[in-house]
């Protein structure tokens, strides 16, 4: 027998369009005997093991060096090198210490290896039962080759992509790959080429889980060529994406760098004409050190870290620091449905019996809830037809539920578990009913018949010895076998099929999965059943409609997101009817207050322009394949939106990677977690709204930090430049600038990271995606405060230097102290400390959350400045001098105008 000669033969076919015989012939396999040992060896050599290849990661040393790849850090390293070249090793050491500290912090926060591909590999590694040389063998899934014949049974994980050739009641849970919330019933018939992935019922895909039945399939794809493997390739193509924060900070850094280099060049050039080379170089370096906010990267890192801690307390674990701010700027949240917006627990919500439409309250598999008719609890003694329908659901059932560690666990099929839970809410218990009416025989569910039937002994005394058949299945399969039905009182009446079909259609349009129930009495001698026993004569009992219900807290979260100007869209592998029904219940809507839904088939036919319009109008995208989820995220991003994508399955991983911020569920697959930027520990969509709130607060605190730090750098650089142009002594030395920019700035700026969120933060629309750090008003603020700082430093320096009692060290010391006092007033003007104190004094019961941090920062700055001027050791190192009380008061007096200046600025650029 010839072996497969080309990998293209194995990967290019649409296997679901071929018959089992065609697949067998194409892969040169044999359904009954499998491959021979020789063929296996040849194919293993040709195609390799059945595993996913992981992308080689950067070494740790390279990851650490890349932390320096920031414009501001690069220029600081160069400035330190210049200082070292002219022999000022203390200055050089301080500058290099600052840059190294920033690099270490970033490295520790982001050095976790990207192991998404390794997680994917574990998703498909299992054991498999195969037929080789006509014998049944149990082997590692890694040893599978194309053409192998694999046997599947309940509880197995599908080891590779298979074309099914034999099935017996086979059902496979493919939710991790397709998003389909219900196990898929499999068959072997040929399908059309355009059949979506989630509807290819003659295929079994790697990573799927067999929940019921048995099947046989031929391996058609292994490793990277499986559908799961294709996802791994999509993930690998999307790496190292920047976030809005990193983009804005890089743009800001570049613009500031050009400004600093221009000013430094001018300072050096002018200085050469007035002083020695070393003095001119000193002035240029002093301007570089003064103009570059050395503490800003550290402050940003601390601010983001504080945001990480706050989000963790609200069940959102951040894996990458910039993700904190990114979520705060999100304009669109794309959410998976199953398990994210919904409970991931099938629940009966409506029962139709004898003309009565009953509502079922409660969700999940617990017994909490009631069955209501006209909003009143139903007494089963007064509703015999309802009891019969519930009993049918209990007995015509191969599953059961049990409680473990406080949680209900399904043993079997989730749909059948929903029927058990519905009966429990009416006081019926499966063990008791089964004991009263033991099963004698059954007909398992088969897709070709669309029903399941069980035979039982009658439970009541008057019917002792009689037999009863209970049947459940699709409306079409059950109604064609029924001639009578039970009315509300349990009496037999002629069946009205049109009414029942209409009711089933109404329930289906609500997204409910509808099952029909019937029964038939049999003589006492009947101990077995076959299909002929239920061809006719069934008595229709009722309908039960079930759905995976939405989380109530997620509904509130979606409303909060919409109020904050954030669009929420559902992207799911489930069918469009169910998805639209869930969206309607949860309050989804587009900007025109409508629910527009698209299917994966419709998306596949759209060009780029049409897709961009579809993602603008659509709120539900159903039956989408993994690559379509990725394409949707890209289309939304192409409209300038900041996209947050939630998901929990393998199929979500590429889109999670592509999104500006990927959010995985804590109970989801390891693949989705490793591809995401953030993980929700409570699987609650409501936590996203909380995280958005924290993210917006983090951004506001970052802006405060920037607007606080830059005016000092602006004042210092203006002082150096103008002093050089005028040929004057420098009012402030480079080492003194480092003291201000590092110790003093960080001491007073870090407390801004702990500022509490504003009450209005979620009532404002998202920031424009292209909004820079420095808007027009913020530039005006920075220029105004910088101008005042320059006037304060230069004016006080010149006055003290020319005073009879003044000296050069004293003038510099007093200028610095006056600058710091002005900074304290400025800090109070942009923080929430004073408004909080005012509210407290006016009788507010709210706690002053920012007071400890801001107060500690101010106290710390005052202590540092006292040491700066009053310590003999510091005097020698930094060329300062002690101040008298009168001199301290002079510094305090000249800093007071900052109060009026800050108040004026806050009118056109509010800080909160």
């Amino acid at each position: 027998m010839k072996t497969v000669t080309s990998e293209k033969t194995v990967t290019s076919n649409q296997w679901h369009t071929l018959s089992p015989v065609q697949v067998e012939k194409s892969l040169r396999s044999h359904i009954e005997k499998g491959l021979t040992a020789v063929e296996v060896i040849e194919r293993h050599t040709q195609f390799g093991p059945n595993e996913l290849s992981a992308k080689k990661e950067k070494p740790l040393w390279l990851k650490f060096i890349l932390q320096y790849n920031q414009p501001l850090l690069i220029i600081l390293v160069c400035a330190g090198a210049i200082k070292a070249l002219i022999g000022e090793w203390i200055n050089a050491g301080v500058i290099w210490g600052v840059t190294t500290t920033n690099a270490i912090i970033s490295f520790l926060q982001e050095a976790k290896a990207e192991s998404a591909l390794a997680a994917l590999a574990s998703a498909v590694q299992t054991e498999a039962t195969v037929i080789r040389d006509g014998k049944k063998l149990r082997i590692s899934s890694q040893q599978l080759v194309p053409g192998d014949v694999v046997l599947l049974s309940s509880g197995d994980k599908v080891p590779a992509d298979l074309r099914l050739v034999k099935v017996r009641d086979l059902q496979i849970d493919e939710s991790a790959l397709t998003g389909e919330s219900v196990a898929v019933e499999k068959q072997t018939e040929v399908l059309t080429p355009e059949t979506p992935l989630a509807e290819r019922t003659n295929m079994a895909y790697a990573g799927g889980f067999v929940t019921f039945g048995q099947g046989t399939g031929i391996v058609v794809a292994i490793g990277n060529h499986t559908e799961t493997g294709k996802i791994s390739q999509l993930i690998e193509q999307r790496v190292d994406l920047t976030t809005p924060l990193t983009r804005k900070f890089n743009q800001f850094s570049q613009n500031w760098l050009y400004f600093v280099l221009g000013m430094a060049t001018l300072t050096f050039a002018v200085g050469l004409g007035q002083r020695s080379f070393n003095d001119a170089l000193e002035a240029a370096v002093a301007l570089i050190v003064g103009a570059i906010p050395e503490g800003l990267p550290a402050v940003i890192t601390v601010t983001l870290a504080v945001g990480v801690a706050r989000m963790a307390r609200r069940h959102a674990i951040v894996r990458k620091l910039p993700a904190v701010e990114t979520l705060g700027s999100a304009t669109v949240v794309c959410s998976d449905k199953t398990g994210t917006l919904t409970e991931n627990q099938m629940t009966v919500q409506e029962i139709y019996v004898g003309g009565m439409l009953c509502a079922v309250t409660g969700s999940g598999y617990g017994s909490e809830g009631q069955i209501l008719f006209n909003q009143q609890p139903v007494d089963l003694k007064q509703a015999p037809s309802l009891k019969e329908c519930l009993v049918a659901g209990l007995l015509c059932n191969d599953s059961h539920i049990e409680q473990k560690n406080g949680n209900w666990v399904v043993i079997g099929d989730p749909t059948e578990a929903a029927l058990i839970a519905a009966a429990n809410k009416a006081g019926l218990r499966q063990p008791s009913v089964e004991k009263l009416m033991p099963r004698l025989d059954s007909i398992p569910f088969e897709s070709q018949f669309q029903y399941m039937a069980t035979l039982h002994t009658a439970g009541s005394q008057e019917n002792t010895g009689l037999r009863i058949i209970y049947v459940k299945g699709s409306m079409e399969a059950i109604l064609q076998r029924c001639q009578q039905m039970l009315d509300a009182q349990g009496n037999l009446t002629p069946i009205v099929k049109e009414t029942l079909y209409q009711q089933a259609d109404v329930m289906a349009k609500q997204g409910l999965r509808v099952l029909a129930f019937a029964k038939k009495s049999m003589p006492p001698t009947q101990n077995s059943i076959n299909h002929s026993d239920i061809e006719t004569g069934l008595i229709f009992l009722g309908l039960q409609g079930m759905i995976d219900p939405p989380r109530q807290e997620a509904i509130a979260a979606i409303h909060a997101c919409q109020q904050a100007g954030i669009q929420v869209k559902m992207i799911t592998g489930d069918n469009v009817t169910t998805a639209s029904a869930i969206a309607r219940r949860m309050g989804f809507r587009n900007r025109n207050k409508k629910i527009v839904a698209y299917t994966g088939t419709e998306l596949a036919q759209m060009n780029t322009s049409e897709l961009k319009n579809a993602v603008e109008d659509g709120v539900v995208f159903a039956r989408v394949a993994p690559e379509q989820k990725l394409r949707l995220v890209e289309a939304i991003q192409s409209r300038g939106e900041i996209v947050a994508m939630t998901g929990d399955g393998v199929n979500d991983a590429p889109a999670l990677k592509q999104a500006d911020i990927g959010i995985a569920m804590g109970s989801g697959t390891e693949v989705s977690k490793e591809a995401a930027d953030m993980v929700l520990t409570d699987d609650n969509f409501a936590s996203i709204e909380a995280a958005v709130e924290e993210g917006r607060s983090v951004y506001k605190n970052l802006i405060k930090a920037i607007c606080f730090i830059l005016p000092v750098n602006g004042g210092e650089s203006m002082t150096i430049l103008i002093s050089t142009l005028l040929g004057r002594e420098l009012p402030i030395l480079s080492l003194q600038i480092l003291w201000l920019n590092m110790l003093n700035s960080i001491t007073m700026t870090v407390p801004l990271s702990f500022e509490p969120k504003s009450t209005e933060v979620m009532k404002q629309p998202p920031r424009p995606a292209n909004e820079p750090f420095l808007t027009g008003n913020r530039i005006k603020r920075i220029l105004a405060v910088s101008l005042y700082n320059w006037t304060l430093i230069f004016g006080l320096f010149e006055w003290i230097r020319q005073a009879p009692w003044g000296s050069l060290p004293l003038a510099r010391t007093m200028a610095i102290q006056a600058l710091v006092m002005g900074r304290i007033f400025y800090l109070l003007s942009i923080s929430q400390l004073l408004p909080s104190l005012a509210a407290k004094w006016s009788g507010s019961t709210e706690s002053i959350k920012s007071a400890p941090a801001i107060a500690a920062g101010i106290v710390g700055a005052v202590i540092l400045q006292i040491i700066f001027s009053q310590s003999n050791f510091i005097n020698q190192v930094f060329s300062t001098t002690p101040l008298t009380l009168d001199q301290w008061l002079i510094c305090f007096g000249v800093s007071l105008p900052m109060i009026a200046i800050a108040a004026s600025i806050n009118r056109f650029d509010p800080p909160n």
Side-chain angles (χ1 to χ4, degrees), residues 366-368 394-395 408 420-436:
S367 58
E368 298 81 9
L394 275 181
L395 295 179
W408 289 97
I420 299 171
N424 288 346
K425 292 172 184 177
L428 298 174
R429 297 292 181 264
Q430 190 179 33
S432 300
V433 177
E434 287 178 338
K435 184 177 181 180
L436 185 65

Side-chain angles (χ1 to χ4, degrees), residues 183 212 407 484 488 637 718:
F212 192 78
N407 298 315
Q484 293 179 301
Q637 288 174 324
M718 289 172 65

